[in-house]
Amino acid sequence: MGEPEAGSEFANRAAAGAEPMADTQYILPNDIGVSSLDCREAFRLLSPTERLYAHHLSRAAWYGGLAVLLQTSPEAPYIYALLSRLFRAQNPDQLRQHALAEGLTEEEYQAFLVYAAGVYSNMGNYKSFGDTKFVPNLPKEKLERVILGSEAAQRHPEEVRGLWQTCGELMFSLEPRLRHLGLGKEGMTTYFSGNCTMEDAKLAQDFLDSQNLSAYNTRLFKEVNQEGKPHYDVRLASVLGTEPALDSEVTSKLKSYEFRGSHFQVTRGDYAPILEKVVEQLEKAKAYAANSHQEQMLAQYVESFTQGSIEAHKRGSRFWIQDKGPIVESYIGFIESYRDPFGSRGEFEGFVAMVNKAMSAKFERLVASAEQLLKELPWPSAFEKDKFLTPDFTSLDVLTFAGSGIPAGINIPNYDDLRQTEGFKNVSLGNVLAVAYTMPREKLTFLEEDDKDLYLRWKGPSFDVQVGLHELLGHGSGKLFVQDEKGELNFDQETVINPETGERIQSWYQSGETWDSKFSNIASSYEECRAESVGLYLCLHPQVLEIFGFEGADAEDVIYVNWLNMVRAGLLALEFYTPEVSSWRQAHMQARFVILRVLLEAGEGLVTVTPTTGSDGRPDARVCLDRSKIRSVGRPALERFLRKLQVLKSTGDVAGGRALYEGYSAVTDAPPECFLTLRDTVLLRKESRKLIVQPNTRLEGSEVQLLEYEASAAGLIQSFSERFPEDGPKLEEVLTQLATADVRFWRGPSEAPAGQA
């Protein structure tokens, strides 16, 4: 198998920068919360055909999810392969006996299990929520003894030693540049070669726009020739590579270009052997599709992953939007761009879920009221879509969610042109909400004692309301002003007035430009902020609360806790800010900090954040919200802010949008809040996000069985050990070969090529 040889520069580079693990930011604690997704009842209610459909879609999702390792860090595929080898040979209990015999303490072995579970859960060694690296919380020499003395090493000594020598140093390294995901000197990313800068990313985006190519399924690799001229390889994800293929919309683009004095080459075949497995399972799922929409959707996904075509994925997404109210819901592809430092490339994800009918009924009533509620939003009707395309909105119980993390709700597809003209779907992931956002009272930070019981009582119900409004009327609202390729505008330039300036519209999106390509690295967070603000704003509407079954004092408590949760989240967000490079690492948390700033700016005592000393004698803080001022002070402030956000988005005013959003996103030590100092307090008292254990499905004869696992680090590891029973070792070999083929792109200029293990 192809791994860099022992002592290669790839491994040595990390050794020089390795630092002691003093900072809890970079470890997962031994007592981290672990929960299991419960979908047993929803799965039981599926017919045999629906189970087969769900099974093959789940297999496709899990296979595709492996690509995330290659999208995260150069070492992630090797770490995954090493852990998988270890736990295939010995389960966590068996390995424990060996580890204790090698001199590890129980705490150190548990720390290793938590690390391994974290790698599987995040599909890499960087947190999916916050983009921070995490390292094993035990001495490297001890872990080395466990690995090299393990059953896996006895059976395959060269492979296991080769993997450890390739990734061991990088696994532990906290060299400054490796601590967070980022571009160039700012951090680590494998969406771009290590020598790419933000300027390269902008140039590549302009090139892609000029060729009407989407960045979603691409990576960018830069090499500089002897004359110093850069050569860029834009690599599309596809099964097909350079081999001759039938003409498709992609093949004509696979060539060399000169663009603004630089050489670009469009190639394809990224993740090819992984996508081949995805396609194989999608073909099998097609046989069990419930209708022609699903069949055509899957056929287009197959075309997309085979050819490397985002246009085919868009066509598949059209059929997916038209497939209203399916029993088994799914989506798969290069979807969310949160982790691309430039904000354009999609991380692979795939989910499969079953409808929760009781909660879906509430969401259906919200959809029925949507057109009326859209009129309540604080921007003129010309800034709203010409026609509200009634979406599907269902509450789902997740069977499979492959990728780097599991959200609470989703509004997809992310393609602007489809969302404006064809519509979208909203899903709330009920069984994720049920486990991911619960916490014991003693772990509830930064609230007054009087607020804690109320918060615990209403957090779940208020979050259901917020997710519903955020997805449906947040992400689902607002129009983009666009000029098409024929020069026609989708708005009347003579009559539409900008409510912020009182003048006619001066800017819009040109043909080929999208929200993501234009607003790049602020697009995701800005949009999350708009959606969160819509949720806060509309939850004040009595009709909304009635839909969810809340009236009178209960409705007031739901509103209060929803707003309180948002301002508390704004304080918690400081964990996800990196002062050294003045950057945010998580889109949703940046958005919540911005909302906290807006509500603090509203004044009149609406929100206060006060430093205190905790009962343990260490720094603490309290967030207070005056519930009597939510409507009189909070609502008008949010109204003004929301209108600005929408107008700047609609008109594609990047300069204005950046000035507004980056202004509110700034973290300083200016009084009275002194946020940089408060950040230390937040880090001192932070709680790690829960790890979530997912079930597997297994085909036995013609029947699909659901395999469930205990809610522990060991249970999560076992679920992955049993995820690829037929081809686990082969997949690990493929992953390390793909990683090794590109390893030169993350090496310093003086480093020698890697050899083979």
Side-chain angles (χ1 to χ4, degrees):
M1 61 191 294
E3 287 133 11
E5 68 188 10
S8 74
E9 287 297 322
F10 177 55
N12 292 349
R13 177 168 60 81
E19 291 179 17
M21 295 168 305
D23 197 328
T24 57
Q25 276 190 83
Y26 306 109
I27 58 169
L28 302 177
N30 277 13
D31 64 351
I32 194 167
V34 186
S35 294
S36 289
L37 274 192
D38 179 11
C39 61
R40 190 182 312 159
E41 182 59 15
F43 186 79
R44 188 184 67 78
L45 294 172
L46 296 181
S47 71
T49 303
E50 288 161 352
R51 288 184 186 187
L52 284 160
Y53 182 64
H55 167 72
H56 289 297
L57 288 176
S58 290
R59 302 308 301 148
W62 287 124
Y63 280 122
L66 296 172
V68 176
L69 294 159
L70 295 156
Q71 294 181 300
T72 301
S73 71
E75 68 273 14
Y78 301 101
I79 297 173
Y80 173 89
L82 179 61
L83 294 174
S84 299
R85 290 265 195 269
L86 279 181
F87 291 113
R88 189 181 302 107
Q90 289 168 286
N91 69 31
D93 280 345
Q94 292 165 336
L95 194 62
R96 176 176 169 272
Q97 300 307 318
H98 161 61
L100 297 181
E102 288 287 355
L104 268 71
T105 64
E106 289 280 8
E107 289 73 24
E108 287 167 339
Y109 183 61
Q110 178 62 19
F112 173 55
L113 290 186
V114 165
Y115 175 78
V119 170
Y120 286 134
S121 200
N122 292 279
M123 267 292 106
N125 56 332
Y126 287 75
K127 294 177 191 172
S128 66
F129 199 85
D131 295 344
T132 308
K133 187 174 185 178
F134 57 95
V135 298
N137 190 23
L138 71 157
K140 179 169 170 283
E141 315 73 58
K142 286 192 170 185
L143 182 55
E144 181 172 41
R145 286 209 301 275
V146 172
I147 288 167
L148 297 184
S150 67
E151 184 68 33
Q154 309 302 319
R155 292 182 199 170
H156 305 284
E158 283 183 28
E159 280 178 23
V160 172
R161 184 173 289 276
L163 286 167
W164 172 251
Q165 288 173 336
T166 302
C167 68
E169 296 288 354
L170 283 164
M171 189 189 282
F172 280 85
S173 175
L174 287 175
E175 181 187 331
R177 187 186 160 209
L178 304 182
R179 291 174 188 173
H180 307 110
L181 296 180
L183 191 52
K185 295 188 176 76
E186 307 281 296
M188 171 51 68
T189 179
T190 47
Y191 284 114
F192 298 85
S193 55
N195 57 353
C196 282
T197 63
M198 195 56 84
E199 285 63 43
D200 294 312
K202 286 173 184 161
L203 178 67
Q205 186 64 57
D206 289 346
F207 165 72
L208 290 166
D209 288 346
S210 76
Q211 298 304 317
N212 212 13
L213 272 169
S214 168
Y216 270 120
N217 65 341
T218 69
R219 293 198 288 168
L220 185 71
F221 298 89
K222 171 183 164 185
E223 297 193 81
V224 181
N225 66 16
Q226 287 172 328
E227 290 81 54
K229 186 177 177 181
H231 172 110
Y232 298 97
D233 176 14
V234 174
R235 194 190 298 170
L236 310 181
S238 66
V239 176
L240 294 176
T242 52
E243 64 270 27
L246 294 171
D247 270 355
S248 77
E249 59 224 342
V250 176
T251 46
S252 62
K253 308 266 190 189
L254 301 174
K255 58 185 182 185
S256 296
Y257 302 79
E258 287 296 319
F259 182 76
R260 293 189 195 162
S262 292
H263 182 80
F264 278 83
Q265 177 95 24
V266 178
T267 62
R268 67 178 173 186
D270 215 2
Y271 326 117
I274 292 171
L275 292 176
E276 199 172 340
K277 305 292 285 186
V278 174
V279 164
E280 194 180 293
Q281 293 298 325
L282 293 176
E283 291 283 14
K284 289 180 178 177
K286 227 188 312 180
Y288 306 105
N291 54 51
S292 64
H293 287 316
Q294 289 180 0
E295 286 171 15
Q296 292 174 91
M297 166 189 90
L298 292 173
Q300 292 297 333
Y301 291 165
V302 165
E303 171 79 358
S304 172
F305 299 141
T306 302
Q307 300 284 349
S309 166
I310 289 295
E311 287 306 312
H313 196 270
K314 283 185 182 179
R315 290 193 293 272
S317 298
R318 277 194 184 91
F319 289 118
W320 179 72
I321 293 164
Q322 291 160 20
D323 183 30
K324 302 278 189 187
I327 302 297
V328 177
E329 184 60 284
S330 69
Y331 199 59
I332 191 168
F334 296 89
I335 313 299
E336 300 294 355
S337 57
Y338 300 123
R339 300 181 92 195
D340 167 14
F342 187 71
S344 296
R345 287 152 192 79
E347 184 173 78
F348 194 96
E349 71 177 42
F351 79 84
V352 184
M354 292 84 59
V355 172
N356 175 323
K357 290 182 176 161
M359 194 64 188
S360 295
K362 292 179 182 176
F363 289 139
E364 279 166 25
R365 290 201 293 279
L366 189 63
V367 171
S369 309
E371 280 190 89
Q372 201 55 42
L373 291 168
L374 282 171
K375 294 173 186 168
E376 303 290 329
L377 290 171
W379 48 78
S381 58
F383 287 74
E384 197 44 72
K385 293 187 187 77
D386 302 334
K387 183 178 187 306
F388 181 69
L389 300 151
T390 307
D392 229 13
F393 196 168
T394 46
S395 177
L396 303 175
D397 284 341
V398 172
L399 169 66
T400 296
F401 207 113
S404 67
I406 312 181
I410 321 172
N411 174 290
I412 35 183
N414 287 331
Y415 305 120
D416 292 330
D417 46 351
L418 259 64
R419 297 170 65 78
Q420 297 283 319
T421 58
E422 312 264 344
F424 52 88
K425 280 187 185 181
N426 297 281
V427 296
S428 173
L429 304 177
N431 59 341
V432 177
L433 283 168
V435 297
Y437 298 94
T438 54
M439 66 166 61
R441 193 179 194 280
E442 63 274 12
K443 290 197 172 186
L444 194 50
T445 51
F446 307 129
L447 292 181
E448 295 285 3
E449 286 300 315
D450 292 350
D451 280 333
K452 286 185 178 179
D453 291 329
L454 201 64
Y455 182 93
L456 291 169
R457 165 75 183 85
W458 294 107
K459 166 78 189 296
S462 73
F463 205 64
D464 284 336
V465 173
Q466 179 68 10
V467 168
L469 294 171
H470 171 117
E471 300 297 349
L472 175 67
L473 296 160
H475 292 315
S477 65
K479 177 175 179 171
L480 301 185
F481 295 156
V482 178
Q483 186 172 34
D484 66 19
E485 60 275 9
K486 297 173 191 156
E488 290 178 18
L489 295 164
N490 68 343
F491 66 98
D492 186 344
Q493 209 178 350
E494 297 301 313
T495 60
V496 177
I497 298 297
N498 181 327
E500 293 295 309
T501 64
E503 297 169 1
R504 291 179 186 173
I505 303 303
Q506 306 290 328
S507 59
W508 47 83
Y509 296 79
Q510 302 295 332
S511 172
E513 287 184 329
T514 66
W515 163 248
D516 275 342
S517 72
K518 210 163 166 59
F519 281 71
S520 69
N521 61 337
I522 67 162
S524 290
S525 185
Y526 186 117
E527 175 58 14
E528 293 305 332
C529 187
R530 198 181 66 88
E532 290 283 46
S533 299
V534 166
L536 286 187
Y537 188 75
L538 287 180
C539 81
L540 296 168
H541 202 286
Q543 186 184 351
V544 168
L545 296 164
E546 282 168 23
I547 287 167
F548 284 89
F550 305 119
E551 293 178 329
D554 285 355
E556 290 303 310
D557 284 344
V558 167
I559 291 167
Y560 176 60
V561 169
N562 196 31
W563 279 61
L564 181 64
N565 185 48
M566 187 63 70
V567 293
R568 175 177 179 263
L571 179 61
L572 295 176
L574 290 168
E575 176 192 340
F576 301 94
Y577 178 76
T578 308
E580 294 78 12
V581 290
S582 304
S583 71
W584 284 91
R585 306 187 312 276
Q586 215 293 320
H588 298 79
M589 298 311 280
Q590 179 182 356
R592 290 157 189 165
F593 177 77
V594 166
I595 291 169
L596 171 62
R597 289 279 316 275
V598 168
L599 296 178
L600 282 165
E601 185 183 82
E604 297 186 46
L606 171 68
V607 177
T608 55
V609 181
T610 314
T612 62
T613 301
S615 56
D616 56 5
R618 299 190 301 170
D620 206 339
R622 287 289 171 272
V623 179
C624 295
L625 170 70
D626 185 339
R627 66 189 296 167
S628 70
K629 293 178 179 169
I630 290 174
R631 285 183 175 83
S632 59
V633 180
R635 188 178 186 276
L638 211 52
E639 183 171 307
R640 291 189 295 273
F641 177 61
L642 250 180
R643 185 183 300 116
K644 281 181 190 163
L645 285 178
Q646 183 56 51
V647 167
L648 293 164
K649 180 181 179 182
S650 288
T651 57
D653 182 351
V654 180
R658 278 197 180 277
L660 176 75
Y661 201 67
E662 289 173 351
Y664 279 116
S665 297
V667 179
T668 70
D669 237 355
E673 285 82 26
C674 306
F675 282 120
L676 277 175
T677 303
L678 274 175
R679 180 178 175 272
D680 294 335
T681 305
V682 170
L683 288 174
L684 182 69
R685 300 190 176 275
K686 75 183 179 74
E687 281 296 320
S688 292
R689 265 173 99 75
K690 281 185 179 177
L691 302 179
I692 296 190
V693 183
Q694 299 187 55
N696 284 318
T697 55
R698 181 171 295 163
L699 194 54
E700 295 181 4
S702 60
E703 287 192 8
V704 180
Q705 304 297 328
L706 184 71
L707 306 178
E708 296 175 288
Y709 302 90
E710 70 170 33
S712 67
L716 201 156
I717 290 165
Q718 191 188 347
S719 73
F720 268 89
S721 294
E722 296 180 10
R723 195 140 280 157
F724 304 105
E726 306 89 14
D727 49 9
K730 178 63 184 164
L731 289 169
E732 290 140 32
E733 194 176 328
V734 160
L735 283 165
T736 54
Q737 284 170 349
L738 291 173
T740 302
D742 287 331
V743 75
R744 71 184 192 280
F745 290 113
W746 291 281
R747 251 197 246 108
S750 63
E751 295 170 81
Q756 296 295 307

